């Protein structure tokens, strides 16, 4: 195939015919062929790995399926009072997965709060606050997270807390010891379904009030106070439902008799050390992201806020932080992913999360390839979920053309 174009030159039009190059010199064809060759090579490489794995597992007498997940676990899980060694391995993996989520969710929330405060403190006009925050950030973020977790467990939890016989009672609301930390908690006295439904109604009303107050603010300039309106509605509806349903949740205080503690909720020392180590380490990185994001906001925004007599808190709350958040969300999301994956370091201090359950099951003569694949899939699903949430937040903060 060929195509022709007319070219004027010297008063005469000369038809120049451009012919397509042969296939072995056509860039488009070469690109397509290269991608096909790459995909075929990847397919055969993966096929080779899979075939080799199956051959070696059959030669070693290992099961190649996932039926072993129905076999009894054979070991106990500390902190999971309802779990029994006779339960199948899949139940143990679910308990470990829930513990991983517990560490990641609370760690992300705490690291965000501490990191934002440290990031703001890094730009404080107070010399002592600014330098103290700088020393914290530079010292912590250049220290391996495993070392921080080990320090929190061996030097803080085990060395600073007393044994259970000499446990410290903090105003009757908390008991501290090396065996565990017990705190005041709420215990259900009846099925919580009706009360949760009431709370759901209250939450829907709170959201509706927030939307209404926001629209009113846009149209008239009246201060929205949507948080106060929403929180007030939720507390009012929840309080009425709590009284009407006969107090479905009862507050329990931890009580120690000898070496036995009843009531409240128990926080394992290993969990506390892991959570504190992850929060301290991740917050140092988030602080630097927040500091950089605030500095990236144009200086004119601050000057404009000062010109209309906003206070320092108001400038930060209504002008600086909303704009800095657009810049900070993607890198902060990466720190959330790091915190989630770093939770696997719990295996060092003995907290039973997904990685520890997986390797304990492997040590009990269960097939490693399948369990490692399940372990990787568990962290992959968590990472994808966090990334999806971060993308939604990022899109909601993006500037919209009007």
């Amino acid at each position: 195939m060929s195509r022709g174009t007319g070219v004027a030159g010297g008063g005469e039009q000369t038809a120049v015919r451009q012919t397509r190059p042969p296939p072995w010199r056509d860039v488009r064809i070469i690109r397509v062929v290269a991608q096909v060759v790459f995909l075929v090579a990847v397919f055969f490489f993966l096929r080779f790995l899979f075939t080799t794995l199956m051959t070696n597992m059959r030669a070693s007498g290992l099961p190649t399926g996932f039926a072993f997940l129905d076999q009894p676990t054979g070991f106990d899980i500390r902190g999971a009072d309802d779990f029994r060694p006779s339960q199948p391995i899949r139940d143990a993996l679910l308990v470990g997965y829930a513990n991983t989520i517990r560490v990641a969710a609370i760690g992300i929330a705490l690291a965000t709060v501490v990191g934002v405060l440290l990031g703001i403190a890094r730009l404080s006009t107070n010399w002592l606050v600014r330098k103290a925050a700088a020393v914290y950030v530079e010292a912590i973020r250049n220290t391996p997270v495993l070392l921080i977790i080990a320090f929190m467990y061996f030097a803080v939890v085990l060395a600073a807390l007393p044994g259970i016989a000499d446990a410290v009672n903090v105003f009757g609301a908390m008991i501290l010891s090396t065996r565990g930390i017990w705190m005041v908690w709420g215990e259900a006295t009846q099925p919580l379904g009706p009360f949760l439904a009431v709370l759901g109604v209250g939450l829907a009303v709170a959201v509706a009030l927030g939307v209404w107050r926001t629209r009113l603010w846009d149209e008239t300039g009246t201060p929205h106070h949507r948080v106060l309106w929403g929180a007030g509605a939720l507390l009012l509806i929840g309080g009425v439902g709590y009284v009407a349903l006969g107090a479905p949740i009862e507050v329990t205080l931890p009580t120690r008799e000898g070496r036995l503690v009843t009531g409240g909720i128990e926080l394992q020392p290993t969990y506390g050390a892991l959570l504190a180590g992850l929060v301290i380490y991740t917050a140092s990185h988030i602080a630097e992201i927040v500091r950089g994001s605030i500095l990236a906001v144009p200086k004119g925004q601050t000057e404009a806020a000062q010109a209309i007599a906003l206070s320092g808190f108001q400038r930060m709350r209504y002008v600086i932080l909303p704009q800095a958040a657009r810049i900070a969300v993607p890198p902060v999301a990466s720190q959330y992913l790091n915190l989630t994956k770093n939770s696997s370091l719990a295996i060092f201090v003995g907290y039973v999360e997904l990685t520890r359950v997986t390797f304990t099951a492997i040590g009990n003569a269960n097939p490693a390839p399948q369990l490692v694949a399940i372990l990787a899939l568990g962290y992959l699903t968590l990472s994808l979920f966090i990334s999806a949430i971060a993308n939604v937040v990022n899109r909601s903060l993006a500037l919209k053309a009007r």
Side-chain angles (χ1 to χ4, degrees), residues 334-365:
S334 298
Q335 294 304 319
Y336 292 165
L337 298 178
N338 288 336
L339 185 146
T340 303
K341 290 179 285 188
N342 285 338
S343 67
S344 61
L345 296 175
I347 197 171
F348 183 74
V349 294
Y351 179 65
V352 185
E353 43 74 66
L354 182 58
T355 302
R356 184 176 176 85
V357 171
T358 300
F359 281 93
T360 303
I362 293 174
N364 285 359

Side-chain angles (χ1 to χ4, degrees), residues 1-281:
M1 296 181 64
S2 63
R3 62 183 180 181
T5 58
V7 178
E12 297 179 354
Q13 289 188 343
T14 304
V16 179
R17 298 180 64 82
Q18 294 182 347
T19 58
R20 177 171 295 180
W24 58 88
R25 295 180 58 188
D26 192 323
V27 175
R28 292 173 298 181
I29 295 178
I30 292 175
R31 287 175 180 169
V32 172
V33 172
Q35 293 177 43
V36 171
V37 171
F38 176 77
L39 291 176
V40 171
V42 170
F43 170 77
F44 279 102
F45 178 69
L46 294 178
R47 185 173 179 272
F48 168 76
L49 292 179
F50 181 76
T51 304
T52 303
L53 175 64
M54 291 295 104
T55 302
N56 291 336
M57 290 181 67
R58 292 190 184 98
S60 302
L62 294 175
T64 57
F66 289 87
F68 70 93
L69 293 176
D70 295 326
Q71 297 177 0
T73 302
F75 57 87
D76 202 357
I77 297 179
R78 188 186 176 191
D81 297 333
D82 298 333
F83 182 81
R84 298 290 179 270
S86 58
Q87 291 184 238
I89 295 175
R90 62 161 51 91
D91 288 352
L93 293 173
L94 290 176
V95 172
Y97 197 48
N99 287 343
T100 296
I101 294 174
R102 190 173 294 118
V103 171
I106 298 178
I108 286 173
L110 294 178
T112 302
V113 174
V114 177
V116 170
L117 294 178
L118 283 172
I120 296 174
R122 288 274 279 140
L123 300 172
S124 173
T125 55
N126 185 298
W127 182 87
L128 181 59
V129 173
R130 185 173 67 252
K131 292 302 178 183
V135 169
Y136 173 91
V137 170
E138 295 302 329
I140 297 298
R141 72 171 180 164
N142 292 305
T143 302
V145 61
L146 181 60
L147 184 60
I148 298 175
I149 294 173
F151 177 83
M152 294 304 299
Y153 182 64
F154 293 108
V156 177
V157 174
L158 295 185
L161 295 181
I164 186 64
D166 302 317
V168 177
N169 192 322
V170 184
F171 304 115
M174 180 182 294
I175 294 178
L176 305 174
S177 75
T178 54
R179 181 192 289 182
I181 300 172
W182 288 264
M183 297 178 292
V184 61
W185 192 245
E187 185 175 339
T189 58
Q190 55 182 280
L192 292 178
F195 184 59
L196 292 177
V198 171
L199 290 180
V201 172
L203 183 61
V205 172
V207 172
L209 284 174
V211 173
W212 169 61
R213 295 298 301 179
T214 301
R215 290 179 178 173
L216 185 66
W217 178 48
D218 291 337
E219 295 172 357
T220 65
T222 304
H224 51 72
H225 298 309
R226 54 196 172 203
V227 175
L228 292 177
W229 279 76
L234 181 60
L235 288 176
L236 178 62
I237 296 175
V240 171
Y242 183 83
V243 175
L245 294 174
I249 298 178
E250 185 180 58
V251 176
T252 63
L253 296 174
T255 305
R256 183 176 68 88
E257 295 181 2
R259 303 175 65 87
L260 179 63
V261 178
T262 58
I265 184 173
E266 181 185 3
L267 178 67
Q268 297 179 46
T270 52
Y271 174 81
L274 173 68
L275 182 64
L278 292 176
V279 169
I280 290 172
Y281 179 77

